[in-house]
Amino acid sequence: MAKAEKLGIMVCGHGSRNQNAMREFSKVAEGLKKLRPDMPVEYGYLEFANPVIHYGLDKLREQGVTHALAVPGMLFAAGHAKNDIPSVLNTYANQYDDFKVTYGRELGVDLKMIRAAGDRIQEAIDACDTEVPAHETLLMVVGRGASDPDANSNVSKVMRMLWEGKGFGWGETCYSGVTFPLVEPGLEHAAKLGYKRIIVFPYFLFTGVLVKRIFSYTDEVAARHPDIEFVKASYLNDHPLVIETFNDRVNEIIEGQNLMNCQMCKYREQVLGFEADVGMAQESHHHHVEGIGGGLEDCPCNGDCDASCRDEEFCKAHGLPWTPLHSHDHSHDHSHGHDHSHSHDHDHEDGHHHPPYPHADHPHGPNSMKKK
């Protein structure tokens, strides 16, 4: 008799050196557990944090799970969601004959996510001491930024839906890195448009060094334009509608409707300016930084740091766990059948080679925001 299938959920995050971000990500997993008491829920990260993805999969198998429903903890589908996570999942699943992994789609442009974003923006408006009409307000939505124009364009679509939905006078989009315009030139441009208030909203799931830098650049631009009120809206975090959207992605896998939108994918189609990226070999580029940022142990910076103190000697002296590079036992066989492929624009000592971003010399980006 065939063994009965047991389902489990694996939430796959990017990872951050900032432990407060990791605590917030873990809350999403906990929230999903409350919505899905019918199956085990685990989580893991690609890089810079523990637990890593394969550890979460190990935990599911220990609980008797034979079929993992893996959802990417990503707002949009760029290289991490299209290549890195599927590569890690397939490498793991290929080692076991009795364990299956089915991959879901990213959170994406979703009405629930837009409502959650609208709530965060409204919370920031409600906290203001002065009233400024919506028509005299400019909304600046800040995306993470990717070398995938499809993901970048989705940030613009979210911005437009928030702009039109809230009735603001104007809307703009900028990015924290990789593409253009970056935050500072984006806000400087917005300041020239004549609006009394500019709301800066990081369309991010969690805190971290980039959110802090977004607000730091906001302060700098605001100091140069004292006649404009700059308002900082909070990122999404564990908004109930965000957790509901994660649950929707799980249901899509179960119902067989977990189809990623590939119509504008630069790895499959001839996207203008990115023609050279079609058909590249899919593999993960995160082995060299997998798990090196620590976990949720007590941090001397109260969790709000970049984990620069996480070297081996420091951890030994303070009794903290330390994860060396390539500490996991799983092989790195990247042969699998996923349809997407990806490479980055830099080289690693482990032999990965990445094509250049075609607009690397753009005057308003795309180098990531510098540490202040």
Side-chain angles (χ1 to χ4, degrees):
M1 177 181 290
K3 184 179 179 180
E5 181 179 70
K6 181 176 180 179
L7 299 177
I9 299 171
M10 180 68 205
V11 186
C12 305
H14 178 272
S16 170
R17 291 183 175 95
N18 188 294
Q19 292 189 349
N20 288 341
M22 297 303 90
R23 290 188 179 94
E24 290 171 359
F25 191 94
S26 68
K27 288 181 182 178
V28 167
E30 291 300 319
L32 191 54
K33 286 181 181 180
K34 293 178 182 178
L35 292 180
R36 304 304 306 233
D38 54 323
M39 61 184 71
V41 178
E42 298 293 339
Y43 66 94
Y45 307 106
L46 272 175
E47 61 179 350
F48 297 138
N50 284 317
V52 295
I53 290 175
H54 74 80
Y55 180 82
L57 294 170
D58 286 343
K59 294 284 288 184
L60 289 177
R61 291 182 61 248
E62 290 170 5
Q63 298 172 73
V65 170
T66 59
H67 185 181
L69 311 179
V71 291
M74 310 282 174
L75 289 168
F76 301 117
H80 291 128
K82 292 178 178 178
N83 295 330
D84 297 303
I85 292 176
S87 176
V88 171
L89 295 174
N90 287 327
T91 298
Y92 186 96
N94 286 342
Q95 298 175 92
Y96 303 99
D97 295 331
D98 59 347
F99 188 72
K100 177 182 177 182
V101 179
T102 303
Y103 188 49
R105 68 183 179 98
E106 79 286 359
L107 297 171
V109 180
D110 185 282
L111 292 177
K112 289 182 180 178
M113 296 295 294
I114 291 168
R115 285 170 55 199
D119 286 349
R120 295 297 186 231
I121 293 168
Q122 190 61 48
E123 289 166 4
I125 295 173
D126 293 342
C128 292
D129 295 329
T130 58
E131 289 190 14
V132 176
H135 290 178
E136 297 180 13
T137 298
L138 183 147
L139 173 66
M140 175 63 79
V141 175
V142 186
R144 169 62 185 92
S147 59
D148 190 322
D150 188 27
N152 294 330
S153 68
N154 281 332
V155 181
S156 295
K157 184 169 184 177
V158 167
M159 181 279 293
R160 175 65 200 188
M161 296 189 75
L162 290 168
W163 173 12
E164 192 164 350
K166 302 291 287 185
F168 293 123
W170 201 260
E172 293 280 328
T173 307
C174 64
Y175 302 88
S176 69
V178 185
T179 189
F180 58 88
L182 296 182
V183 175
E184 187 174 20
L187 287 176
E188 280 292 346
H189 171 76
K192 298 175 182 177
L193 299 181
Y195 288 86
K196 293 182 178 180
R197 171 183 284 170
I198 295 177
I199 299 174
V200 180
F201 171 54
Y203 195 67
F204 281 56
L205 281 174
F206 309 110
T207 189
V209 64
L210 293 179
V211 172
K212 294 169 67 176
R213 290 181 189 173
I214 289 167
F215 290 150
S216 177
Y217 276 106
T218 300
D219 290 340
E220 287 191 13
V221 177
R224 295 196 288 265
H225 301 275
D227 55 325
I228 302 173
E229 180 186 12
F230 284 78
V231 176
K232 303 171 187 173
S234 179
Y235 49 91
L236 293 163
N237 205 348
D238 60 342
H239 191 289
L241 291 173
V242 172
I243 298 175
E244 284 188 27
T245 308
F246 272 105
N247 190 45
D248 290 344
R249 298 297 171 266
V250 173
N251 288 331
E252 288 175 355
I253 302 175
I254 296 172
E255 295 166 2
Q257 299 185 8
N258 57 316
L259 301 177
M260 187 179 290
N261 182 4
C262 299
Q263 291 179 342
M264 300 285 286
C265 178
K266 70 171 185 174
Y267 308 119
R268 298 186 60 174
E269 304 293 342
Q270 293 286 327
V271 175
L272 179 66
F274 294 81
E275 292 86 354
D277 291 353
V278 174
M280 287 183 174
Q282 179 193 50
E283 58 183 350
S284 174
H285 305 286
H286 294 271
H287 310 309
H288 55 296
V289 286
E290 188 176 32
I292 67 172
L296 293 179
E297 67 276 0
D298 292 334
C299 173
C301 303
N302 295 319
D304 194 19
C305 67
D306 62 2
S308 59
C309 58
R310 299 281 160 197
D311 59 50
E312 183 176 9
E313 293 305 317
F314 180 93
C315 292
K316 287 180 178 178
H318 292 80
L320 300 174
W322 176 76
T323 306
L325 302 184
H326 295 276
S327 62
H328 54 87
D329 296 325
H330 303 297
S331 64
H332 298 306
D333 178 9
H334 296 289
S335 58
H336 46 74
H338 193 266
D339 290 332
H340 285 289
S341 55
H342 171 90
S343 291
H344 293 293
D345 58 1
H346 56 278
D347 295 336
H348 299 306
E349 293 179 358
D350 53 1
H352 297 307
H353 301 284
H354 312 245
Y357 179 65
H359 306 295
D361 59 350
H362 193 283
H364 294 154
N367 295 318
S368 294
M369 295 180 294
K370 301 294 188 297
K371 182 177 181 180
K372 308 300 290 183

